[in-house]
Amino acid sequence: MVLEREQIMNKFHQVTTQLEQALGGVHYEELDISDEVKEQVELVLSQFQRAKGRVDTPDAELREDLLSLYRKSNDPAIDPAVLRKLVKKLQLTGLYDLTQESCALHDMVTATGEDPEERIEKMSLVLRKIKGFVLTETPEIDSSSREKSSTCSGQASIEATHKAPVIPDDFRCPVSLELMKDPVIVSSGQTYERSSIEKWLEAGHSTCPKTQQVLTSNVVTPNYVLRSLIAQWCEMNGVESPKRPGSSPNKSTSACTPAEHSTIENLLRKLTSGSPEDRLSATGEIRLLAKRNADNRVAIAEAGAIPLLVDLLSTPDSRIQEHAVTALLNLSICEDNKRSIVTSGAVPGIVHVLKKGSMEARENAAAALFSLSVIDENKVIIGTFGAIPPLVTLLSDGTQRGKKDAATALFNLCIYQGNKGKAVRAGVVVTLMGLLTEPQGGMIDEALAILAILSSHPEGKTTIGAAGAVPVLVNVITNGSPRNKENAAAVLVHLCSGDQHHLVDVQELGIMGPLVDLVQNGTERGRRKATQLLERINRYAEQQKQAQTEPEAPIHNQLSQSPPSSTNVLEC
């Protein structure tokens, strides 16, 4: 790949361009697909668009060293330092790596019809030189091992000892795609890992992630049969049975191999290196390792990476900063790591990235704050360190993905009552109203969900009412999706509580018919909110009639003297 960098790079760019053009030509916004699927399509499309203009900096020195090795193939006095450097950069330090490379080269020869081209002969010669150097430098490798490593049959035997059993699809969580530890059934009949579906529900979703059915209840039921089958499969395949959260008093430990632990330790040493290149490559690799699986996330945290990554959040190098905040985001997926990240002082650094970082870094900083705020005490800490104003800014001027990340984080943070006023004072209501009325309407779900939370706060209620929200909310109840109707009704219930002006407005805007329809055909929460709103409207109408028969009693006095209804205690 190093020797043919240009050709390989050009092929990748051609394929990326074709995929981007093909996906961009699909009018998916006109298809009857869920908002979640639309969001994924938009994300993939934006990634392809960014990838078109992204070119990695070539390692010119590595290519020159390889060409030099080829040109000096018959020179016995090749500098060992050059060979050592090549072995390290190409990661061909052991028999397993060398055998993989040999078999890949053999496959290339086979693909040419057993007529090796000059480029393949060049690769073969260079590989022989490197292989000879590694075997010379590693005297503990005996001759039998060398024989095994020289053939692709040897490669097959090596791979057989390293190959992990394939996890059946039914044993993987549809959300995390990892082997389930604590499978639970939701009301749609689908099974998920408990922690994954709980995060989904806590984020405000009311649908089944797999089928998009509206969930009739947030109650989950343990799937004991599947848990038993997973345990049997693990025993039969020599895989350690996954421990359920809370099944052991000890903290989660990593199942990484000694070699993987050694790799992580080497990366951590690079994090503290004085070389910016080392820090950049190390943060990038840790970011990818943490994304890969749960064992890596535990092992990286155990090795002490979190404080080092936190220190790099304030680095002036935007690329290192982006890798560091994204690595922390990936590490935070592990429940045990959430508290460790916050106690390591990460929140001020993440907020700094949210304010000053590149757009992608800001997006990932917002996603990290959402992940950390799943723990209730972290909601307080994050709000205290000033995260809400920059989240509102990202919600206003970010990319589509950035707006989604900011909205999700704000929703979670505003579940804590003390953060609601901060969000209102940061101008989130004006931003949300803008999202509700923008032509493309890509953020209506998120905007209404946040408004439903803020409307229960006195300051939020006043600001939403003053922003002219009533006509927009009535329109949503008339024409919106079931989920949006219920959130719009929830906001109006709060706005119309003890406020005759809003009660008059909703009646004049013709809300009675849509409300009756919502009572009959809406979601469970939507029916409840519509009923409460109808009760307020009817009670106000009765007070008006009474005022006409008793003109000496002012309307506002009657409103203030009317006994409070139990429906005044509302939930979002």
Side-chain angles (χ1 to χ4, degrees):
M1 289 179 69
V2 173
L3 290 173
E4 298 194 322
R5 177 184 179 278
E6 294 298 327
Q7 298 95 309
I8 293 173
M9 184 184 70
N10 288 337
K11 287 181 182 178
F12 268 103
H13 280 302
Q14 288 171 7
V15 172
T16 299
T17 301
Q18 291 169 355
L19 286 169
E20 186 267 334
Q21 291 174 346
L23 194 57
V26 177
H27 298 291
Y28 58 88
E29 67 278 1
E30 298 178 3
L31 302 177
D32 185 19
I33 56 179
S34 69
D35 292 336
E36 287 82 2
V37 175
K38 288 181 182 178
E39 179 183 337
Q40 291 297 318
V41 174
E42 290 170 357
L43 175 60
V44 172
L45 183 56
S46 66
Q47 288 173 334
F48 278 133
Q49 289 168 342
R50 287 200 299 269
K52 284 197 303 181
R54 183 181 298 165
V55 180
D56 293 335
T57 304
D59 191 335
E61 183 183 19
L62 175 59
R63 189 170 188 278
E64 284 304 312
D65 285 342
L66 280 171
L67 290 174
S68 172
L69 185 60
Y70 171 67
R71 288 192 289 265
K72 297 178 181 179
S73 57
N74 297 320
D75 186 352
I78 297 176
D79 186 356
V82 174
L83 282 165
R84 193 171 291 109
K85 184 167 59 175
L86 283 172
V87 166
K88 184 178 179 182
K89 281 193 171 183
L90 296 173
Q91 299 180 15
L92 299 175
T93 55
L95 283 174
Y96 179 66
D97 303 321
L98 288 165
T99 307
Q100 277 191 314
E101 199 76 4
S102 297
C103 286
L105 194 60
H106 178 268
D107 291 341
M108 290 180 69
V109 173
T110 304
T112 62
E114 303 297 335
D115 183 19
E117 303 168 7
E118 181 183 351
R119 64 191 182 94
I120 296 179
E121 292 179 354
K122 183 188 297 184
M123 293 178 197
S124 179
L125 190 149
V126 170
L127 183 59
R128 283 201 301 273
K129 284 290 180 183
I130 293 174
K131 195 171 184 178
F133 174 76
V134 171
L135 295 177
T136 303
E137 289 279 299
T138 317
E140 64 270 17
I141 300 176
D142 58 26
S143 58
S144 62
S145 296
R146 295 187 190 190
E147 289 174 5
K148 285 182 182 180
S149 70
S150 63
T151 66
C152 286
S153 61
Q155 164 71 4
S157 66
I158 292 172
E159 285 186 343
T161 61
H162 287 78
K163 191 173 183 180
V166 177
I167 300 173
D169 289 341
D170 290 341
F171 293 175
R172 294 180 183 271
C173 172
V175 175
S176 68
L177 301 181
E178 294 183 4
L179 184 65
M180 286 187 275
K181 302 175 184 178
D182 189 9
V184 295
I185 305 170
V186 298
S187 61
S188 66
Q190 299 296 321
T191 296
Y192 299 94
E193 173 62 35
R194 182 187 293 274
S195 60
S196 297
I197 194 63
E198 285 179 348
K199 287 178 187 175
W200 172 266
L201 296 173
E202 286 171 0
H205 298 290
S206 58
T207 57
C208 171
K210 190 171 182 179
T211 65
Q212 304 306 315
Q213 287 178 252
V214 175
L215 298 175
T216 58
S217 168
N218 286 355
V219 176
V220 296
T221 307
N223 191 334
Y224 294 110
V225 174
L226 182 59
R227 187 189 301 168
S228 175
L229 291 173
I230 291 173
Q232 292 176 28
W233 178 85
C234 290
E235 185 177 350
M236 290 172 59
N237 289 274
V239 176
E240 184 180 358
S241 182
K243 300 293 186 296
R244 290 189 297 118
S247 61
S248 169
N250 299 323
K251 189 179 178 181
S252 301
T253 55
S254 167
C256 290
T257 65
E260 289 168 331
H261 279 293
S262 177
T263 299
I264 292 170
E265 289 169 2
N266 289 334
L267 290 174
L268 264 56
R269 281 193 286 271
K270 284 185 177 182
L271 287 182
T272 58
S273 166
S275 165
E277 289 77 14
D278 282 349
R279 291 199 298 272
L280 178 62
S281 64
T283 50
E285 289 185 58
I286 289 173
R287 169 184 179 173
L288 294 175
L289 283 173
K291 182 180 180 181
R292 195 164 297 162
N293 58 54
D295 285 331
N296 285 352
R297 292 189 275 275
V298 174
I300 292 168
E302 286 176 347
I306 290 174
L308 301 178
L309 291 168
V310 170
D311 289 341
L312 292 174
L313 293 174
S314 57
T315 180
D317 189 319
S318 61
R319 297 172 302 169
I320 295 176
Q321 191 182 73
E322 180 185 317
H323 286 328
V325 76
T326 310
L328 288 170
L329 163 62
N330 294 336
L331 289 172
S332 72
I333 296 171
C334 173
E335 292 299 310
D336 289 334
N337 289 345
K338 293 186 194 295
R339 286 186 173 86
S340 299
I341 291 170
V342 172
T343 55
S344 296
V347 174
I350 296 174
V351 173
H352 170 75
V353 175
L354 184 61
K355 293 177 179 177
K356 306 291 185 181
S358 64
M359 181 53 72
E360 187 167 351
R362 290 170 64 196
E363 293 168 352
N364 291 339
L369 290 176
F370 161 68
S371 178
L372 296 173
S373 66
V374 168
I375 297 176
D376 286 339
E377 55 263 37
N378 289 350
K379 292 180 174 68
V380 182
I381 296 170
I382 293 168
T384 301
F385 280 105
I388 290 176
L391 283 172
V392 173
T393 301
L394 183 61
L395 182 64
S396 174
D397 63 16
T399 63
Q400 189 67 14
R401 179 199 158 194
K403 291 179 179 181
K404 296 277 187 182
D405 290 331
T408 309
L410 284 166
F411 177 90
N412 220 34
L413 290 171
C414 288
I415 292 172
Y416 169 59
Q417 186 74 4
N419 285 334
K420 294 178 182 179
K422 294 175 182 177
V424 173
R425 290 188 289 275
V428 71
V429 171
V430 174
T431 300
L432 294 172
M433 291 305 301
L435 295 176
L436 281 178
T437 55
E438 64 182 6
Q440 56 270 36
M443 294 287 294
I444 292 176
D445 291 3
E446 293 82 356
L448 286 168
I450 299 172
L451 285 173
I453 288 182
L454 296 178
S455 62
S456 66
H457 187 274
E459 199 172 345
K461 172 183 170 180
T462 302
T463 308
I464 294 169
V470 171
V472 179
L473 296 169
V474 171
N475 181 60
V476 172
I477 290 177
T478 305
N479 302 307
S481 67
R483 180 183 175 190
N484 290 340
K485 287 181 179 181
E486 69 177 52
N487 279 326
V491 178
L492 283 176
V493 166
H494 286 293
L495 294 183
C496 293
S497 177
D499 191 316
Q500 65 177 4
H501 300 293
H502 292 321
L503 285 169
V504 171
D505 289 342
V506 295
Q507 289 185 84
E508 290 179 349
L509 290 166
I511 198 175
M512 298 301 288
L515 279 181
V516 172
D517 180 69
L518 185 56
V519 170
Q520 295 172 346
N521 304 308
T523 63
E524 180 182 350
R525 177 170 174 255
R527 292 196 298 270
R528 190 168 65 251
K529 296 300 178 185
T531 300
Q532 291 172 351
L533 191 51
L534 283 171
E535 287 176 358
R536 278 166 171 69
I537 294 171
N538 291 332
R539 187 162 61 248
Y540 173 65
E542 290 174 3
Q543 290 170 345
Q544 283 185 310
K545 289 180 181 178
Q546 184 179 356
Q548 290 173 357
T549 59
E550 301 176 13
E552 70 281 0
I555 292 295
H556 67 273
N557 286 344
Q558 295 178 36
L559 281 172
S560 63
Q561 293 168 9
S562 61
S565 167
S566 61
T567 55
N568 284 333
V569 182
L570 305 173
E571 76 286 354
C572 285

